């Protein structure tokens, strides 16, 4: 055992036992981030803050929420919204936060795609990120059920029904997920458990893995430049702060993130207090009624693009029913981003606009996703159904074509 | 500069998406609501320009209306408890104390002349059908007599304060026989099963309707339900503009009780956040001046 001198101060006492100095260095003041980055690199910290806000507001909601089919609606809309001091504030923050977190997740994801931050050593950052995306999706879906409004109920009905399309086990699987033959009290209680316990724990774990995965490959930068971090760090520590290509996480990187965070929060709170309708659908202020199907059923906005891929196939092709085709396409859409690092066969780590072929692919994908999102909400009738079909097929083709496009690009740029 | 360009690109993409899934999608799913018509111009059976005679109206009301209706404010209490009158008529007949204040004059006169056509409920109570509306048509009265009745009802109606209490009185008089308002501790005076047998549907609790339907929709809907929900059992009740405002105000006061607090708090939070953002900006400039 190491020898302990009597400590001169409280700080030293803790430092001897926990190695605070060293820890702060490793995690903060000597954790090196490239200097050449823009505000898009603040999205990760924004997400961390948003997750914290969701966690804290969620804990407050949990104190009054009742996971019971007969009590849930009033516990949210009356007890929390009207009776509990500032209960409405926690609900608004939580509901709007859950929606806005997806906006930031998408910006974060597409930043990663745009700058090619998922390859050449960064594969595990990407994969742990996708894992977070899946977990956040499950968290969003399970949470949306809790107020037990009409949209809670029917979105849950439609989405759980999707699993019924899986061959052989489908029917049993739906019953297993719902805990009943239809969406019922047992469904609500188990989704409550998932929402407040299992998924949050998994998210916390996945965030740790994500951060750890960032450590060795290092964060990418605006030009996709690879350089020797140790050499640049030495330069910085020797006093050549202006000449070095890196900055420490604290205080330099975070000072910029706080600035971005400040303006983001301004936007966020505007939505929370004055413009929350997009995150708290009016239809959901009608209590769930299993005998009354709403005229239009749609998931939350962040699921619309994949929902539209599911709905896009509405007729039989080559003897396979539209429903089965939709399901296959839906499974494809939800899994394909995970393998992106291997679909991109070009070695270039550059912003998309500097890549001769990839840039077209990227912007095409953005347009297609926006079309899918918008038509995912509109009633799938007449021309809308065909736009949905075309944009769903386009989505599939884009990903099937990606390896070929990027291989051609690799040839053109000659392995650089 | 470059960062502003990136911000502009993101704002554009987000803006287009937002427009598509919110204003545009709502526009497609909920076609434009016709503006409310508070003249009830389609009703022309009674010449409402005739000046009514209150005294004569009083005599007519006592002879024709009090068999079923109470007028508490004029000293005529209800004949039987609500449950019993609901069982006999299908719905509790309204106490007419507030009728002269909350109903549009033209509507009220034409309602007395022929209730079913004024309420736009001919599809529920067709002429010669099996169901008949409990209140008979007073189409045998002369227009002058009907206007006398209207004048009398207007003369007995008490004023209510322009506050939550007053709004509640109007809501109870206008909607409370059929609709409950759980979050305001109001229960419909007619029992739900009786109404269901009578109207063919259970009137919903209105506690959260200010949120689920929104003020704009409610304005059009209350004014003429059939326009927005063809075939609905809900009658056109004939509220004048002021009474309808009061009803909707009450729905907001019970359904969105924290609105004022939310808006006031929101302002403070935004000011606070703005100060934080500015300080963060200054701090960032100071820190980055050392590395750039
Ligand atoms: C939802 C919770 C998430 C949190 C809290 C989070 C947090 C972070 C943080 C703090 C960073 C470093 C700074 C930055 O570049 O922003 C980062 C980087 C990264 N994240 Fe995430 N992230 C999350 C989700 C995701 C998702 C869904 C993906 C995509 C599938 C993803 C992919 C990446 C990538 C590729 C990087 C590296 C960026 C680069 O090297 O430039 N993350 N993340």
């Amino acid at each position: 055992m190491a020898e302990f001198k009597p400590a001169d101060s409280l700080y030293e006492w803790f430092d001897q036992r926990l190695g605070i100095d060293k820890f702060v260095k490793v995690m903060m003041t000597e954790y090196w981030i490239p200097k050449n980055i823009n505000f898009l690199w603040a999205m990760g910290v924004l997400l961390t803050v948003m997750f914290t806000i969701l966690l804290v507001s969620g804990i407050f909601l949990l104190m009054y929420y009742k996971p019971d089919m007969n009590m849930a609606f009033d516990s949210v809309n009356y007890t929390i919204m009207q009776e509990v001091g500032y209960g409405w504030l926690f609900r608004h923050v939580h509901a709007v936060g859950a929606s806005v977190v997806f906006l930031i997740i998408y910006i974060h994801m597409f930043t990663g795609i745009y700058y090619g931050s998922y390859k050449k050593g960064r594969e595990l950052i990407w994969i742990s990120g996708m894992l977070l995306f899946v977990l956040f999706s499950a968290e969003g879906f399970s949470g949306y059920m809790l107020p037990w409004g009409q949209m809670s109920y029917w979105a849950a009905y439609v989405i759980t029904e999707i699993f019924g399309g899986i061959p052989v086990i489908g029917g049993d699987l739906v019953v297993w997920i719902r805990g009943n033959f239809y969406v019922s009290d047992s469904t609500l209680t188990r989704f409550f458990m998932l929402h407040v316990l299992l998924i949050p724990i998994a998210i916390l774990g996945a965030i740790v893995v994500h951060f750890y995965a960032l450590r060795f490959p290092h964060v990418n930068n605006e030009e996709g430049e690879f350089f020797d971090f140790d050499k640049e760090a030495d330069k910085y520590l020797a006093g050549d702060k202006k000449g070095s290509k890196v900055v420490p996480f604290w205080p330099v990187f975070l000072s910029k993130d706080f600035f971005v965070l400040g303006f983001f929060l301004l936007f966020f709170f505007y939505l929370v207090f004055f413009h929350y309708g997009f995150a708290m659908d009016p239809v959901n202020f009608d209590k769930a009624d299993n005998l009354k199907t709403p005229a239009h059923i749609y998931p939350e906005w962040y699921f619309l693009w994949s929902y539209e891929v599911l709905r896009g196939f509405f007729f039989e092709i080559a003897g396979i029913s539209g429903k089965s085709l939709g399901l296959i396409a839906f499974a494809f859409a939800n899994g394909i981003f995970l393998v992106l690092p291997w679909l991109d066969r070009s070695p270039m780590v550059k912003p998309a606009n500097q890549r001769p072929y990839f840039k077209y692919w990227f912007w095409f994908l953005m347009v297609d996703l926006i079309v899918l999102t918008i038509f995912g909400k509109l009633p799938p009738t007449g021309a809308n159904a065909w736009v949905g079909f075309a944009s769903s097929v386009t989505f599939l083709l884009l990903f099937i074509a990606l390896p070929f496009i990027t291989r051609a690009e690799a040839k053109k740029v000659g392995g650089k | 500069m470059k960062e502003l360009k990136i911000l502009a690109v993101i704002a554009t993409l987000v803006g287009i998406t937002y427009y598509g899934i919110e204003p545009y999608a709502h526009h497609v799913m909920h076609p434009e609501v016709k503006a409310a018509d508070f003249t009830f111009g389609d009703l022309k059976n009674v010449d409402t320009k005739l000046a009514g005679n209150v005294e004569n109206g009083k005599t007519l009301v006592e002879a024709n209306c009090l068999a079923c209706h109470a007028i508490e404010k004029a000293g005529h209490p209800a004949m039987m408890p609500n449950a019993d009158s609901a069982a006999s008529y299908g719905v509790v007949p309204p106490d007419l104390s507030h009728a002269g204040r909350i109903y549009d004059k033209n509507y009220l006169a034409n309602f007395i002349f022929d209730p079913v056509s004024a309420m736009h409920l001919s599809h529920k109570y067709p002429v010669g059908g099996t169901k008949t509306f409990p209140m008979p048509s007073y189409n045998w009265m002369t227009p002058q007599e009907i206007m006398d009745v209207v004048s009398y009802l207007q003369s007995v109606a008490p004023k209510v304060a322009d506050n939550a209490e007053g709004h509640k009185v109007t809501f109870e008089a206008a909607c409370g026989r059929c609709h409950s308002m759980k979050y305001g501790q109001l229960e419909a005076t007619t029992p739900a099963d009786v109404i269901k047998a009578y109207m063919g549907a259970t009137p919903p609790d209105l506690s959260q309707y200010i949120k689920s339907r929104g003020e704009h929709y409610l304005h059009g809907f209350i004014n003429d339900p059939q326009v927005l929900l063809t075939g609905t059992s809900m009658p056109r009740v004939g509220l004048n503009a002021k009474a309808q405002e009061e009803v909707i105000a009450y729905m907001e006061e019970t359904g969105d009780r924290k609105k004022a607090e939310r808006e006031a708090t929101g302002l403070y939070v935004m000011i606070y956040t703005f100060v934080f953002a500015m300080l963060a900006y200054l701090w960032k400039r100071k820190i980055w001046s050392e590395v750039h």
Side-chain angles (χ1 to χ4, degrees), chain A residues 313-330:
Chain A
F313 297 85
F314 58 94
F315 51 88
E316 187 180 301
I317 300 175
I320 310 174
S321 74
K323 203 177 155 198
S324 301
L325 285 171
L327 194 69
I328 296 167
F330 181 70

Side-chain angles (χ1 to χ4, degrees), chain A residues 31 33 37 39-49 51 101 105-106 108-113 115-118 122 125-134 136 203 207 210-211 214 217-221 249 253 257 337:
Chain A
Y31 172 27
I33 309 281
I37 52 173
F39 76 89
L40 291 171
W41 272 264
M43 297 305 136
V45 167
L46 258 55
L47 285 170
T48 313
V49 172
F51 179 68
V101 84
I105 286 181
Y106 282 131
H108 187 61
M109 252 177 94
F110 292 114
T111 301
I113 299 181
Y115 290 100
S117 312
Y118 49 80
R122 297 199 177 91
I125 309 177
W126 179 259
I127 292 200
S128 55
M130 273 313 292
L131 180 65
L132 278 166
F133 179 75
V134 171
F136 266 82
I203 288 178
I207 289 180
H210 192 57
F211 285 9
L214 280 161
H218 285 286
V219 172
N220 194 7
N221 57 73
F249 185 70
F253 178 70
D257 286 1
F337 279 101

